[in-house]
């Protein structure tokens, strides 16, 4: 997150996302091996930030009682 990741996977960036957003981020096993390449920049003040990040990774983001879940 904020650093280029070549052939990254959602589970590779989940800890960074959780740290930046202040909430746990869980990755659905169905997308755990999906690859993406890019730089993810997050504006914590943007309420739609996680949806934008998920769109860049080609996945969806769902708010849970404890944090976020990335999935299909």
């Amino acid at each position: 997150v904020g650093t280029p990741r070549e052939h990254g996977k959602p589970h590779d960036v989940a800890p960074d996302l959780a740290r930046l957003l202040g909430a746990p981020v869980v990755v659905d096993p169905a997308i755990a091996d999906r690859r993406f390449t890019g730089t993810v920049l997050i504006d914590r003040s943007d309420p739609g930030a996680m949806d934008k990040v998920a769109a860049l990774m080609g996945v969806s983001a769902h708010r849970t009682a404890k944090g976020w879940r990335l999935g299909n």
Side-chain angles (χ1 to χ4, degrees):
V1 176
T3 305
R5 293 187 183 265
E6 188 172 326
H7 305 297
K9 296 179 182 181
H11 68 84
D12 293 335
V13 297
D16 293 332
L17 289 171
R19 182 176 43 79
L20 288 168
L21 296 171
V25 177
V26 175
V27 177
D28 187 312
I31 66 154
D33 289 328
R34 189 175 296 178
R35 295 187 178 278
F36 73 96
T37 300
T39 301
V40 179
L41 299 174
I42 296 176
D43 176 358
R44 286 188 235 177
S45 66
D46 179 357
M50 191 60 161
D51 290 326
K52 292 174 183 175
V53 169
L56 288 171
M57 294 177 10
V59 300
S60 61
H62 304 282
R63 190 81 163 126
T64 67
K66 295 182 180 181
W68 291 94
R69 180 175 185 86
L70 295 175
N72 286 325

